[in-house]
Amino acid sequence: MATAEPSIPNRPSTGVPAHVATWSLPPDWRWGAGGVSTPFRHAQEIIDVLGRSLALVTAPDPAHHAWLFREARQLAQRNHPSIPTTYHFWQQHPGSPRGPGYLRRWVTGQTMGERLRRSGPETVPVALRIIRLVGSALAYLHDSGATHGALGPETTYLTPTGRVWLLGWQWAIPRDEIPAGVTPDPRRTPWAPEWGAEWHPTHGSDQWQLGAVAFAMLTGEVPVAGHIPPLRITRPDVPASVAELVDQMLAPDPGHRFSSIAGMLRRIERISGTSSLAVPSAEKGEEVSQEDRLRWATGDDYEVLAPLGSGTYGSVWRVRDLSLEREVALKMLHPTVARNAVAVARFRREAQLAAQLQHPAIVPIFAWDAKGEVNWYIMELEEEGSVADLIRRDGPQTLTTIGPQVDAVLDGLAVAHAAGIIHRDLKPENILIDRYRRWRIADFGIANAMGGELAGASGTPAFAAPEQLLGEEQGVQTDLFAIAGIVIYALSGEPPFAGTDGKTILAAQLAGRMELDHFDVHLRAWLRRALAADPADRFRDAQTMRHAWRALVRETARDERRQARLLGRVWTQLRRFVVRPPST
C-alpha cells in the first residue's frame, strides 16, 4: 500500500509556490497572502477582479494533472452548503499563461484536528451539530453514488462563525480515476477496520470515519480500529443516547452500523429533540439554557445552528432563516437583562439605529422580534469572524492589506455620524469580516443619537478614548480614537496603550505613552493625531481622517517602491563587483 507524502497534513505556506509562480493572472487579479499544502494538492489564495477570495487548487506533480481535472469536474457538479463552490478550471494548453488548476471558494478557519489540539474535546451539543452537518454532506454524496473516502479531523474545517466545510476532494472520485498506488495516509486518515491493508472507500467506511470524527471531538483522540473502547468509558458525561449513536457508527462489522447516513441523521434528530441533551443534568425547576430558550422562541422561523459569541448584554447565534433558506446571525438579549424594561428599550434602539444605516462597511439589520422574555434581532452573517479573530488566527497584518479596509470603515463611520449616530464601543471584536474579506462595523450596542445624553463611561477600556474613561461628554472624535487603536492592533497584534484596567490605560493616554517607533513615519504622524488625549487635537471628522489615511498609504507605498529600486541598483552593482572585480 502506497501512502501520501510524509508531511504535516495541512501546511500553511507564504508567497506563491514555484509551480505557479510564472502564471500570468487575468487583469486586476492578484495573489493572496498565502496558501495551504495538503496531500498531493496546493491551495493558493487568489483575489479576483470582484474582490472575492478564491482558492486556486493545483497539483504540484505534473503526473497528477489528469487526476486534478477529474477532481474539479466532479466537484463542479456538487451543490451543498458544506462543499465549497467550484467556479472555473484553467486548462493547460500551448500559449496559455496559466493552468492547470481550478478555482473554488477560499475556506478560512481551522481543521477539526487543529481545533482539538488547541482547545481539547468539544461539548456534546457542539459535537452533535458538527456530526449533523458533516453527515448531511455525506448523505448528499451517497445519494449520487459517490463516497468521500478520506473523512477525518484534518479534512473537516470550521470557520470562525461555526460553519463546517469538507475538503480532501482529491479522494472523492472513482477509485479507478486516482493514480495507481496512491492512497490517503493511514497515519492521518481514520482507517476503517474492513480495509485492512487496502484502501477501498464505501458508504459504510464513510460512516465509520464520521464516527471516528465524532469520537475525536468528544474525547480528543482519533480512534484506531481494533482498539476503540466504548465512548462512555472514555467520556462518562456523554448521554447514553449519544454514546450509542457513536458506538454504532464505529462498529467493526459494517453490517452492524446504520443502514445509511440518512438513518443515522434521523437518530440524531430524535436525540436532539430531547431536553436531556441540552440540559443533561437538569432537575425540575432548574434554569433552562439560553439555547433551549432561543429554540423555543424562534423554532417556527429559525433553526439554531451554533453560538458565535457573548457580550455584556447579549449573545450572538448562527441560525438558518427557514422562510428564506439562508443563514443569518441572531443577537439575543441575555434573559437576566431582558427583565429590565430600560435594557430592552436600549436593545431595541440598537437594532433601530443600525437598521437606519446602509453602507458596504456596516453590517445590515434585517428584522427585530420578541417572544415572551426573549428579545432578538437578525443581521447579516459575516463568515470570516472579526478583526480580533483574524489577528489571533493569522497574526499582525501589513499596511497594504488593511489599507482599503480601514478606508472603507472610515467611510461607513462618516455615514453613521452624518445620521446622528456614534458607536462608542468600536474594538476589533466589533469589526466583522465578510466572505469577501471586507471589514464591516457591527454592534451599535451603546450608540446614542447625537443631541441626547452622551456623557457617561462606556466602551472597552483598551480602545476607549480618555473622555470615555473619565465619563465625560463624547462625540465623533471618540470613534476616531478607537479606529486608530484598531489600526495599531491590526498591524502589531497589541492594543495601543499598555495596561489591563481603565485607570492604567487612562494614565498612559494622558501621558502620550505609546510605542510607535516601529511604524513608518507617515503612519506615526497619523496615529499621534488620531490618538491625541484632547478630542480637539484629533481629526475633525471621519472623512478628514479618511483622506489623511489615503495620503499616508500612498506615501508609504511610494517610499517602499523607492527603497525597492534602490536595493535593486545596489544588488546589481554587487553582482557586477563579484562577477568582474576591479583590477588592483
Side-chain angles (χ1 to χ4, degrees), residues 17-365:
H19 69 282
V20 298
T22 60
W23 290 21
S24 176
L25 299 181
D28 297 322
W29 288 45
R30 57 186 173 86
W31 296 111
V36 179
S37 292
T38 60
F40 305 105
R41 295 291 184 269
H42 184 274
Q44 178 67 34
E45 185 181 17
I46 196 168
I47 312 299
D48 74 358
V49 69
L50 299 177
R52 297 180 299 179
S53 291
L54 306 178
L56 171 61
V57 181
T58 55
D61 186 346
H64 295 156
H65 287 175
W67 178 17
L68 177 74
F69 177 74
R70 296 185 189 108
E71 172 191 342
R73 184 178 57 191
Q74 291 277 340
L75 195 54
Q77 309 304 316
R78 309 296 182 201
N79 182 19
H80 187 276
S82 292
I83 300 176
T85 304
T86 296
Y87 301 107
H88 184 66
F89 189 86
W90 280 338
Q91 187 62 274
Q92 188 179 43
H93 55 80
S96 171
R98 65 189 78 95
Y102 69 86
L103 297 168
R104 63 157 169 80
R105 176 169 177 165
W106 176 259
V107 175
T108 300
Q110 59 185 339
T111 68
M112 175 54 67
E114 292 167 340
R115 178 168 166 142
L116 291 174
R117 289 189 288 272
R118 181 176 302 149
S119 307
E122 302 286 353
T123 64
V124 173
V126 168
L128 270 189
R129 181 184 69 84
I130 295 173
I131 295 168
R132 183 191 294 113
L133 294 173
V134 177
S136 171
L138 288 180
Y140 169 83
L141 278 180
H142 293 179
D143 285 345
S144 66
T147 60
H148 189 281
L151 181 67
E154 306 304 336
T155 54
T156 304
Y157 275 73
L158 286 88
T159 72
T161 55
R163 185 163 187 174
V164 175
W165 293 100
L166 287 191
L167 296 183
W169 292 104
Q170 61 266 42
W171 308 112
I173 62 176
R175 183 69 184 90
D176 59 2
E177 295 186 12
I178 297 175
V182 174
T183 67
D185 188 341
R187 295 169 296 179
R188 305 191 299 233
T189 305
W191 205 256
E194 62 266 29
W195 288 349
E198 182 180 355
W199 177 63
H200 184 68
T202 63
H203 293 178
S205 65
D206 274 356
Q207 183 182 151
W208 190 91
Q209 289 184 321
L210 178 57
V213 171
F215 190 95
M217 284 191 290
L218 292 168
T219 67
E221 299 289 338
V222 179
V224 178
H227 305 279
I228 307 176
L231 179 57
R232 293 199 86 186
I233 292 179
T234 308
R235 178 83 183 265
D237 65 314
V238 171
S241 58
V242 176
E244 291 168 2
L245 174 91
V246 177
D247 291 341
Q248 185 170 348
M249 285 193 287
L250 289 172
D253 184 348
H256 294 162
R257 299 170 197 158
F258 291 96
S259 59
S260 67
I261 292 289
M264 183 274 297
L265 291 173
R266 286 193 292 272
R267 173 75 67 84
I268 288 182
E269 293 305 321
R270 288 198 295 272
I271 294 173
S272 299
T274 66
S275 60
S276 61
L277 175 64
V279 193
S281 61
E283 300 293 338
K284 186 175 180 179
E286 184 175 342
E287 182 83 11
V288 297
S289 69
Q290 286 195 50
E291 183 171 350
D292 276 358
R293 187 183 299 271
L294 183 60
R295 289 183 185 277
W296 167 81
T298 65
D300 293 338
D301 302 305
Y302 301 98
E303 177 189 0
V304 179
L305 301 177
L308 296 179
S310 182
T312 304
Y313 289 97
S315 54
V316 184
W317 300 78
R318 185 187 192 110
V319 302
R320 179 177 290 110
D321 183 335
L322 299 177
S323 61
L324 297 177
E325 287 297 322
R326 64 179 178 179
E327 291 189 7
V328 293
L330 180 151
K331 185 167 184 180
M332 175 181 68
L333 195 64
H334 285 319
T336 54
V337 181
R339 301 186 185 100
N340 184 321
V342 174
V344 171
R346 181 182 183 181
F347 185 71
R348 183 162 190 168
R349 185 182 63 207
E350 172 183 345
Q352 291 171 335
L353 290 174
Q356 295 173 19
L357 306 174
Q358 296 186 11
H359 188 277
I362 297 176
V363 177
I365 300 297

Side-chain angles (χ1 to χ4, degrees), residues 364-383:
I365 300 297
F366 297 143
W368 156 274
D369 208 345
K371 182 176 181 180
E373 292 186 345
V374 182
N375 297 264
W376 72 88
Y377 69 79
I378 302 298
M379 58 186 175
E380 185 174 283
L381 178 67
E382 309 306 344
E383 291 284 357

